[in-house]
mmCIF file of all heavy atoms in Angstrom:
data_model
loop_
_atom_site.group_PDB
_atom_site.id
_atom_site.type_symbol
_atom_site.label_atom_id
_atom_site.label_comp_id
_atom_site.label_asym_id
_atom_site.label_seq_id
_atom_site.Cartn_x
_atom_site.Cartn_y
_atom_site.Cartn_z
ATOM 1 N N ARG A 1128 113.439 -169.808 165.425
ATOM 2 C CA ARG A 1128 112.048 -170.158 165.747
ATOM 3 C C ARG A 1128 111.690 -171.542 165.212
ATOM 4 O O ARG A 1128 111.145 -172.380 165.938
ATOM 5 C CB ARG A 1128 111.088 -169.110 165.181
ATOM 6 C CG ARG A 1128 109.619 -169.408 165.508
ATOM 7 C CD ARG A 1128 108.724 -168.338 164.928
ATOM 8 N NE ARG A 1128 108.851 -167.092 165.645
ATOM 9 C CZ ARG A 1128 108.142 -166.795 166.728
ATOM 10 N NH1 ARG A 1128 107.277 -167.668 167.214
ATOM 11 N NH2 ARG A 1128 108.290 -165.636 167.331
ATOM 12 N N ILE A 1129 112.007 -171.786 163.934
ATOM 13 C CA ILE A 1129 111.662 -173.089 163.354
ATOM 14 C C ILE A 1129 112.510 -174.200 163.964
ATOM 15 O O ILE A 1129 112.069 -175.335 164.123
ATOM 16 C CB ILE A 1129 111.823 -173.061 161.813
ATOM 17 C CG1 ILE A 1129 111.182 -174.312 161.201
ATOM 18 C CG2 ILE A 1129 113.280 -172.940 161.398
ATOM 19 C CD1 ILE A 1129 111.081 -174.262 159.699
ATOM 20 N N LYS A 1130 113.748 -173.846 164.377
ATOM 21 C CA LYS A 1130 114.610 -174.825 165.048
ATOM 22 C C LYS A 1130 113.972 -175.254 166.363
ATOM 23 O O LYS A 1130 113.932 -176.446 166.690
ATOM 24 C CB LYS A 1130 115.989 -174.212 165.297
ATOM 25 C CG LYS A 1130 116.953 -175.128 166.031
ATOM 26 C CD LYS A 1130 118.268 -174.414 166.281
ATOM 27 C CE LYS A 1130 119.214 -175.269 167.097
ATOM 28 N NZ LYS A 1130 120.483 -174.558 167.392
ATOM 29 N N ASN A 1131 113.468 -174.280 167.118
ATOM 30 C CA ASN A 1131 112.808 -174.598 168.388
ATOM 31 C C ASN A 1131 111.554 -175.437 168.159
ATOM 32 O O ASN A 1131 111.237 -176.333 168.942
ATOM 33 C CB ASN A 1131 112.443 -173.311 169.126
ATOM 34 C CG ASN A 1131 113.664 -172.585 169.647
ATOM 35 O OD1 ASN A 1131 114.690 -173.203 169.896
ATOM 36 N ND2 ASN A 1131 113.568 -171.277 169.807
ATOM 37 N N LYS A 1132 110.857 -175.126 167.070
ATOM 38 C CA LYS A 1132 109.636 -175.873 166.753
ATOM 39 C C LYS A 1132 109.949 -177.347 166.520
ATOM 40 O O LYS A 1132 109.296 -178.238 167.077
ATOM 41 C CB LYS A 1132 108.979 -175.276 165.505
ATOM 42 C CG LYS A 1132 107.763 -176.060 165.022
ATOM 43 C CD LYS A 1132 107.219 -175.477 163.727
ATOM 44 C CE LYS A 1132 106.076 -176.333 163.184
ATOM 45 N NZ LYS A 1132 105.568 -175.806 161.891
ATOM 46 N N PHE A 1133 110.980 -177.618 165.706
ATOM 47 C CA PHE A 1133 111.323 -179.004 165.411
ATOM 48 C C PHE A 1133 111.971 -179.688 166.616
ATOM 49 O O PHE A 1133 111.887 -180.908 166.758
ATOM 50 C CB PHE A 1133 112.242 -179.079 164.194
ATOM 51 C CG PHE A 1133 111.499 -178.977 162.891
ATOM 52 C CD1 PHE A 1133 111.603 -177.846 162.097
ATOM 53 C CD2 PHE A 1133 110.671 -180.001 162.470
ATOM 54 C CE1 PHE A 1133 110.902 -177.740 160.906
ATOM 55 C CE2 PHE A 1133 109.967 -179.912 161.282
ATOM 56 C CZ PHE A 1133 110.082 -178.775 160.494
ATOM 57 N N ALA A 1134 112.631 -178.892 167.472
ATOM 58 C CA ALA A 1134 113.187 -179.470 168.699
ATOM 59 C C ALA A 1134 112.050 -179.992 169.574
ATOM 60 O O ALA A 1134 112.143 -181.066 170.172
ATOM 61 C CB ALA A 1134 114.006 -178.434 169.453
ATOM 62 N N LYS A 1135 110.961 -179.220 169.625
ATOM 63 C CA LYS A 1135 109.807 -179.651 170.417
ATOM 64 C C LYS A 1135 109.177 -180.904 169.816
ATOM 65 O O LYS A 1135 108.744 -181.801 170.537
ATOM 66 C CB LYS A 1135 108.779 -178.521 170.486
ATOM 67 C CG LYS A 1135 109.216 -177.348 171.356
ATOM 68 C CD LYS A 1135 108.183 -176.243 171.356
ATOM 69 C CE LYS A 1135 108.641 -175.071 172.219
ATOM 70 N NZ LYS A 1135 107.673 -173.951 172.198
ATOM 71 N N ILE A 1136 109.126 -180.944 168.475
ATOM 72 C CA ILE A 1136 108.573 -182.129 167.811
ATOM 73 C C ILE A 1136 109.419 -183.355 168.143
ATOM 74 O O ILE A 1136 108.901 -184.443 168.415
ATOM 75 C CB ILE A 1136 108.519 -181.917 166.283
ATOM 76 C CG1 ILE A 1136 107.476 -180.842 165.941
ATOM 77 C CG2 ILE A 1136 108.190 -183.221 165.569
ATOM 78 C CD1 ILE A 1136 107.451 -180.462 164.474
ATOM 79 N N THR A 1137 110.739 -183.160 168.138
ATOM 80 C CA THR A 1137 111.644 -184.259 168.470
ATOM 81 C C THR A 1137 111.399 -184.751 169.884
ATOM 82 O O THR A 1137 111.368 -185.960 170.150
ATOM 83 C CB THR A 1137 113.112 -183.798 168.335
ATOM 84 O OG1 THR A 1137 113.340 -183.358 166.995
ATOM 85 C CG2 THR A 1137 114.074 -184.941 168.654
ATOM 86 N N LEU A 1138 111.218 -183.789 170.798
ATOM 87 C CA LEU A 1138 110.967 -184.163 172.183
ATOM 88 C C LEU A 1138 109.627 -184.882 172.330
ATOM 89 O O LEU A 1138 109.494 -185.809 173.131
ATOM 90 C CB LEU A 1138 110.996 -182.917 173.071
ATOM 91 C CG LEU A 1138 112.384 -182.300 173.265
ATOM 92 C CD1 LEU A 1138 112.276 -180.971 173.992
ATOM 93 C CD2 LEU A 1138 113.282 -183.246 174.041
ATOM 94 N N GLU A 1139 108.651 -184.447 171.553
ATOM 95 C CA GLU A 1139 107.356 -185.125 171.603
ATOM 96 C C GLU A 1139 107.486 -186.556 171.092
ATOM 97 O O GLU A 1139 106.791 -187.458 171.553
ATOM 98 C CB GLU A 1139 106.321 -184.363 170.767
ATOM 99 C CG GLU A 1139 105.902 -183.034 171.374
ATOM 100 C CD GLU A 1139 105.332 -183.189 172.764
ATOM 101 O OE1 GLU A 1139 104.589 -184.166 173.003
ATOM 102 O OE2 GLU A 1139 105.643 -182.353 173.625
ATOM 103 N N ASP A 1140 108.386 -186.754 170.126
ATOM 104 C CA ASP A 1140 108.596 -188.108 169.607
ATOM 105 C C ASP A 1140 109.122 -189.038 170.693
ATOM 106 O O ASP A 1140 108.881 -190.248 170.660
ATOM 107 C CB ASP A 1140 109.585 -188.085 168.435
ATOM 108 C CG ASP A 1140 108.958 -187.499 167.178
ATOM 109 O OD1 ASP A 1140 107.716 -187.441 167.126
ATOM 110 O OD2 ASP A 1140 109.705 -187.104 166.267
ATOM 111 N N ILE A 1141 109.851 -188.450 171.650
ATOM 112 C CA ILE A 1141 110.373 -189.270 172.749
ATOM 113 C C ILE A 1141 109.216 -189.876 173.529
ATOM 114 O O ILE A 1141 109.249 -191.041 173.925
ATOM 115 C CB ILE A 1141 111.230 -188.420 173.713
ATOM 116 C CG1 ILE A 1141 112.427 -187.839 172.984
ATOM 117 C CG2 ILE A 1141 111.715 -189.258 174.886
ATOM 118 C CD1 ILE A 1141 113.243 -186.908 173.845
ATOM 119 N N THR A 1142 108.189 -189.045 173.749
ATOM 120 C CA THR A 1142 107.066 -189.519 174.559
ATOM 121 C C THR A 1142 106.314 -190.655 173.867
ATOM 122 O O THR A 1142 105.594 -191.401 174.519
ATOM 123 C CB THR A 1142 106.085 -188.367 174.840
ATOM 124 O OG1 THR A 1142 105.530 -187.896 173.607
ATOM 125 C CG2 THR A 1142 106.785 -187.217 175.531
ATOM 126 N N LYS A 1143 106.476 -190.762 172.544
ATOM 127 C CA LYS A 1143 105.798 -191.816 171.796
ATOM 128 C C LYS A 1143 106.662 -193.075 171.670
ATOM 129 O O LYS A 1143 106.274 -194.049 171.047
ATOM 130 C CB LYS A 1143 105.439 -191.305 170.396
ATOM 131 C CG LYS A 1143 104.496 -190.105 170.421
ATOM 132 C CD LYS A 1143 104.289 -189.547 169.031
ATOM 133 C CE LYS A 1143 103.425 -188.293 169.068
ATOM 134 N NZ LYS A 1143 103.271 -187.681 167.726
ATOM 135 N N PHE A 1144 107.849 -192.984 172.237
ATOM 136 C CA PHE A 1144 108.774 -194.114 172.145
ATOM 137 C C PHE A 1144 108.225 -195.312 172.914
ATOM 138 O O PHE A 1144 107.924 -195.224 174.099
ATOM 139 C CB PHE A 1144 110.135 -193.692 172.716
ATOM 140 C CG PHE A 1144 111.147 -194.806 172.745
ATOM 141 C CD1 PHE A 1144 111.570 -195.396 171.581
ATOM 142 C CD2 PHE A 1144 111.672 -195.238 173.954
ATOM 143 C CE1 PHE A 1144 112.518 -196.403 171.606
ATOM 144 C CE2 PHE A 1144 112.616 -196.248 173.990
ATOM 145 C CZ PHE A 1144 113.037 -196.831 172.812
ATOM 146 N N ASP A 1145 108.083 -196.431 172.217
ATOM 147 C CA ASP A 1145 107.480 -197.605 172.840
ATOM 148 C C ASP A 1145 108.539 -198.374 173.623
ATOM 149 O O ASP A 1145 109.121 -199.341 173.143
ATOM 150 C CB ASP A 1145 106.858 -198.503 171.767
ATOM 151 C CG ASP A 1145 106.023 -199.624 172.365
ATOM 152 O OD1 ASP A 1145 105.919 -199.707 173.603
ATOM 153 O OD2 ASP A 1145 105.484 -200.430 171.589
ATOM 154 N N GLN A 1146 108.781 -197.914 174.851
ATOM 155 C CA GLN A 1146 109.815 -198.544 175.661
ATOM 156 C C GLN A 1146 109.458 -199.977 176.044
ATOM 157 O O GLN A 1146 110.322 -200.840 176.139
ATOM 158 C CB GLN A 1146 110.033 -197.731 176.935
ATOM 159 C CG GLN A 1146 110.643 -196.363 176.683
ATOM 160 C CD GLN A 1146 110.725 -195.592 177.974
ATOM 161 O OE1 GLN A 1146 109.720 -195.377 178.625
ATOM 162 N NE2 GLN A 1146 111.911 -195.193 178.338
ATOM 163 N N LEU A 1147 108.171 -200.214 176.274
ATOM 164 C CA LEU A 1147 107.741 -201.526 176.739
ATOM 165 C C LEU A 1147 108.189 -202.622 175.782
ATOM 166 O O LEU A 1147 108.654 -203.688 176.201
ATOM 167 C CB LEU A 1147 106.217 -201.539 176.896
ATOM 168 C CG LEU A 1147 105.607 -202.841 177.423
ATOM 169 C CD1 LEU A 1147 106.185 -203.165 178.790
ATOM 170 C CD2 LEU A 1147 104.093 -202.739 177.473
ATOM 171 N N GLU A 1148 108.065 -202.338 174.475
ATOM 172 C CA GLU A 1148 108.429 -203.334 173.472
ATOM 173 C C GLU A 1148 109.901 -203.718 173.604
ATOM 174 O O GLU A 1148 110.254 -204.901 173.574
ATOM 175 C CB GLU A 1148 108.152 -202.775 172.071
ATOM 176 C CG GLU A 1148 108.564 -203.721 170.947
ATOM 177 C CD GLU A 1148 108.356 -203.095 169.580
ATOM 178 O OE1 GLU A 1148 107.675 -202.057 169.508
ATOM 179 O OE2 GLU A 1148 108.889 -203.654 168.605
ATOM 180 N N TYR A 1149 110.765 -202.706 173.765
ATOM 181 C CA TYR A 1149 112.193 -202.980 173.871
ATOM 182 C C TYR A 1149 112.525 -203.684 175.182
ATOM 183 O O TYR A 1149 113.396 -204.557 175.227
ATOM 184 C CB TYR A 1149 112.984 -201.676 173.746
ATOM 185 C CG TYR A 1149 112.941 -201.107 172.349
ATOM 186 C CD1 TYR A 1149 112.014 -200.129 172.005
ATOM 187 C CD2 TYR A 1149 113.805 -201.566 171.361
ATOM 188 C CE1 TYR A 1149 111.957 -199.617 170.718
ATOM 189 C CE2 TYR A 1149 113.762 -201.061 170.070
ATOM 190 C CZ TYR A 1149 112.828 -200.083 169.756
ATOM 191 O OH TYR A 1149 112.767 -199.593 168.485
ATOM 192 N N HIS A 1150 111.835 -203.317 176.240
ATOM 193 C CA HIS A 1150 112.072 -203.976 177.520
ATOM 194 C C HIS A 1150 111.673 -205.449 177.443
ATOM 195 O O HIS A 1150 112.365 -206.317 177.990
ATOM 196 C CB HIS A 1150 111.283 -203.282 178.631
ATOM 197 C CG HIS A 1150 111.956 -202.053 179.158
ATOM 198 N ND1 HIS A 1150 113.157 -202.095 179.819
ATOM 199 C CD2 HIS A 1150 111.594 -200.752 179.112
ATOM 200 C CE1 HIS A 1150 113.518 -200.877 180.167
ATOM 201 N NE2 HIS A 1150 112.588 -200.034 179.741
ATOM 202 N N GLU A 1151 110.573 -205.721 176.774
ATOM 203 C CA GLU A 1151 110.122 -207.109 176.648
ATOM 204 C C GLU A 1151 111.137 -207.937 175.870
ATOM 205 O O GLU A 1151 111.442 -209.078 176.236
ATOM 206 C CB GLU A 1151 108.755 -207.151 175.962
ATOM 207 C CG GLU A 1151 107.614 -206.657 176.856
ATOM 208 C CD GLU A 1151 106.278 -206.668 176.139
ATOM 209 O OE1 GLU A 1151 106.278 -206.886 174.906
ATOM 210 O OE2 GLU A 1151 105.248 -206.455 176.801
ATOM 211 N N GLU A 1152 111.665 -207.348 174.784
ATOM 212 C CA GLU A 1152 112.664 -208.064 173.993
ATOM 213 C C GLU A 1152 113.914 -208.338 174.822
ATOM 214 O O GLU A 1152 114.487 -209.436 174.775
ATOM 215 C CB GLU A 1152 113.033 -207.245 172.751
ATOM 216 C CG GLU A 1152 111.931 -207.187 171.709
ATOM 217 C CD GLU A 1152 112.356 -206.421 170.471
ATOM 218 O OE1 GLU A 1152 113.567 -206.159 170.327
ATOM 219 O OE2 GLU A 1152 111.486 -206.094 169.653
ATOM 220 N N LEU A 1153 114.335 -207.320 175.580
ATOM 221 C CA LEU A 1153 115.521 -207.496 176.419
ATOM 222 C C LEU A 1153 115.281 -208.524 177.515
ATOM 223 O O LEU A 1153 116.172 -209.321 177.842
ATOM 224 C CB LEU A 1153 115.930 -206.160 177.039
ATOM 225 C CG LEU A 1153 116.925 -205.316 176.241
ATOM 226 C CD1 LEU A 1153 117.234 -204.031 176.981
ATOM 227 C CD2 LEU A 1153 118.213 -206.075 175.978
ATOM 228 N N ASN A 1154 114.091 -208.507 178.081
ATOM 229 C CA ASN A 1154 113.766 -209.481 179.125
ATOM 230 C C ASN A 1154 113.817 -210.905 178.575
ATOM 231 O O ASN A 1154 114.298 -211.830 179.246
ATOM 232 C CB ASN A 1154 112.380 -209.196 179.709
ATOM 233 C CG ASN A 1154 112.372 -207.955 180.588
ATOM 234 O OD1 ASN A 1154 113.411 -207.549 181.106
ATOM 235 N ND2 ASN A 1154 111.202 -207.350 180.750
ATOM 236 N N GLU A 1155 113.319 -211.066 177.354
ATOM 237 C CA GLU A 1155 113.363 -212.386 176.721
ATOM 238 C C GLU A 1155 114.806 -212.831 176.492
ATOM 239 O O GLU A 1155 115.154 -213.999 176.713
ATOM 240 C CB GLU A 1155 112.605 -212.350 175.391
ATOM 241 C CG GLU A 1155 111.090 -212.204 175.557
ATOM 242 C CD GLU A 1155 110.382 -212.041 174.224
ATOM 243 O OE1 GLU A 1155 111.074 -212.123 173.176
ATOM 244 O OE2 GLU A 1155 109.153 -211.832 174.221
ATOM 245 N N LEU A 1156 115.635 -211.884 176.049
ATOM 246 C CA LEU A 1156 117.050 -212.207 175.838
ATOM 247 C C LEU A 1156 117.743 -212.542 177.155
ATOM 248 O O LEU A 1156 118.594 -213.439 177.214
ATOM 249 C CB LEU A 1156 117.757 -211.027 175.158
ATOM 250 C CG LEU A 1156 117.405 -210.776 173.692
ATOM 251 C CD1 LEU A 1156 118.036 -209.468 173.214
ATOM 252 C CD2 LEU A 1156 117.884 -211.936 172.816
ATOM 253 N N GLU A 1157 117.385 -211.810 178.204
ATOM 254 C CA GLU A 1157 117.993 -212.057 179.513
ATOM 255 C C GLU A 1157 117.592 -213.440 180.039
ATOM 256 O O GLU A 1157 118.419 -214.166 180.614
ATOM 257 C CB GLU A 1157 117.558 -210.969 180.497
ATOM 258 C CG GLU A 1157 118.103 -211.126 181.907
ATOM 259 C CD GLU A 1157 119.618 -211.072 181.988
ATOM 260 O OE1 GLU A 1157 120.260 -210.608 181.018
ATOM 261 O OE2 GLU A 1157 120.168 -211.508 183.011
ATOM 262 N N ILE A 1158 116.337 -213.811 179.840
ATOM 263 C CA ILE A 1158 115.877 -215.147 180.251
ATOM 264 C C ILE A 1158 116.643 -216.222 179.485
ATOM 265 O O ILE A 1158 117.092 -217.224 180.062
ATOM 266 C CB ILE A 1158 114.359 -215.289 180.011
ATOM 267 C CG1 ILE A 1158 113.586 -214.383 180.980
ATOM 268 C CG2 ILE A 1158 113.918 -216.740 180.179
ATOM 269 C CD1 ILE A 1158 112.099 -214.291 180.682
ATOM 270 N N LYS A 1159 116.812 -215.997 178.179
ATOM 271 C CA LYS A 1159 117.550 -216.950 177.347
ATOM 272 C C LYS A 1159 119.004 -217.046 177.800
ATOM 273 O O LYS A 1159 119.587 -218.146 177.853
ATOM 274 C CB LYS A 1159 117.483 -216.502 175.881
ATOM 275 C CG LYS A 1159 118.123 -217.479 174.904
ATOM 276 C CD LYS A 1159 117.379 -218.807 174.868
ATOM 277 C CE LYS A 1159 117.958 -219.742 173.818
ATOM 278 N NZ LYS A 1159 117.280 -221.065 173.806
ATOM 279 N N ARG A 1160 119.600 -215.892 178.146
ATOM 280 C CA ARG A 1160 120.995 -215.883 178.608
ATOM 281 C C ARG A 1160 121.144 -216.714 179.879
ATOM 282 O O ARG A 1160 122.092 -217.497 180.022
ATOM 283 C CB ARG A 1160 121.457 -214.449 178.864
ATOM 284 C CG ARG A 1160 122.934 -214.334 179.272
ATOM 285 C CD ARG A 1160 123.258 -212.958 179.805
ATOM 286 N NE ARG A 1160 122.634 -212.722 181.100
ATOM 287 C CZ ARG A 1160 123.121 -213.183 182.254
ATOM 288 N NH1 ARG A 1160 124.227 -213.921 182.276
ATOM 289 N NH2 ARG A 1160 122.496 -212.931 183.391
ATOM 290 N N LYS A 1161 120.204 -216.549 180.803
ATOM 291 C CA LYS A 1161 120.263 -217.297 182.061
ATOM 292 C C LYS A 1161 120.105 -218.794 181.816
ATOM 293 O O LYS A 1161 120.762 -219.609 182.479
ATOM 294 C CB LYS A 1161 119.176 -216.785 183.012
ATOM 295 C CG LYS A 1161 119.459 -215.400 183.574
ATOM 296 C CD LYS A 1161 118.351 -214.944 184.512
ATOM 297 C CE LYS A 1161 118.670 -213.575 185.099
ATOM 298 N NZ LYS A 1161 117.591 -213.084 186.004
ATOM 299 N N GLU A 1162 119.234 -219.148 180.868
ATOM 300 C CA GLU A 1162 119.044 -220.564 180.541
ATOM 301 C C GLU A 1162 120.336 -221.162 179.979
ATOM 302 O O GLU A 1162 120.739 -222.274 180.347
ATOM 303 C CB GLU A 1162 117.914 -220.720 179.524
ATOM 304 C CG GLU A 1162 116.532 -220.423 180.094
ATOM 305 C CD GLU A 1162 115.451 -220.478 179.028
ATOM 306 O OE1 GLU A 1162 115.807 -220.627 177.828
ATOM 307 O OE2 GLU A 1162 114.259 -220.373 179.379
ATOM 308 N N LEU A 1163 120.987 -220.404 179.084
ATOM 309 C CA LEU A 1163 122.235 -220.887 178.486
ATOM 310 C C LEU A 1163 123.341 -220.989 179.533
ATOM 311 O O LEU A 1163 124.128 -221.950 179.543
ATOM 312 C CB LEU A 1163 122.671 -219.943 177.359
ATOM 313 C CG LEU A 1163 121.785 -219.958 176.103
ATOM 314 C CD1 LEU A 1163 122.196 -218.844 175.147
ATOM 315 C CD2 LEU A 1163 121.871 -221.316 175.405
ATOM 316 N N THR A 1164 123.393 -219.999 180.417
ATOM 317 C CA THR A 1164 124.406 -220.023 181.477
ATOM 318 C C THR A 1164 124.190 -221.215 182.400
ATOM 319 O O THR A 1164 125.143 -221.898 182.812
ATOM 320 C CB THR A 1164 124.353 -218.719 182.294
ATOM 321 O OG1 THR A 1164 124.633 -217.617 181.433
ATOM 322 C CG2 THR A 1164 125.383 -218.734 183.416
ATOM 323 N N SER A 1165 122.930 -221.483 182.711
ATOM 324 C CA SER A 1165 122.601 -222.624 183.565
ATOM 325 C C SER A 1165 123.014 -223.932 182.897
ATOM 326 O O SER A 1165 123.568 -224.833 183.550
ATOM 327 C CB SER A 1165 121.100 -222.633 183.861
ATOM 328 O OG SER A 1165 120.751 -223.756 184.647
ATOM 329 N N ALA A 1166 122.767 -224.024 181.577
ATOM 330 C CA ALA A 1166 123.141 -225.236 180.841
ATOM 331 C C ALA A 1166 124.654 -225.402 180.812
ATOM 332 O O ALA A 1166 125.175 -226.524 180.953
ATOM 333 C CB ALA A 1166 122.586 -225.160 179.420
#
Side-chain angles (χ1 to χ4, degrees):
R1128 181 180 288 273
I1129 192 170
K1130 178 182 176 182
N1131 290 334
K1132 175 184 175 182
F1133 279 109
K1135 289 178 181 178
I1136 292 174
T1137 301
L1138 289 172
E1139 290 302 321
D1140 287 342
I1141 299 175
T1142 63
K1143 299 174 184 177
F1144 177 63
D1145 189 0
Q1146 292 176 302
L1147 182 59
E1148 177 184 347
Y1149 290 96
H1150 279 295
E1151 288 178 351
E1152 289 183 13
L1153 269 180
N1154 287 337
E1155 290 175 4
L1156 289 172
E1157 179 62 16
I1158 291 171
K1159 185 65 176 178
R1160 183 193 70 80
K1161 288 180 178 179
E1162 290 175 354
L1163 291 172
T1164 299
S1165 178

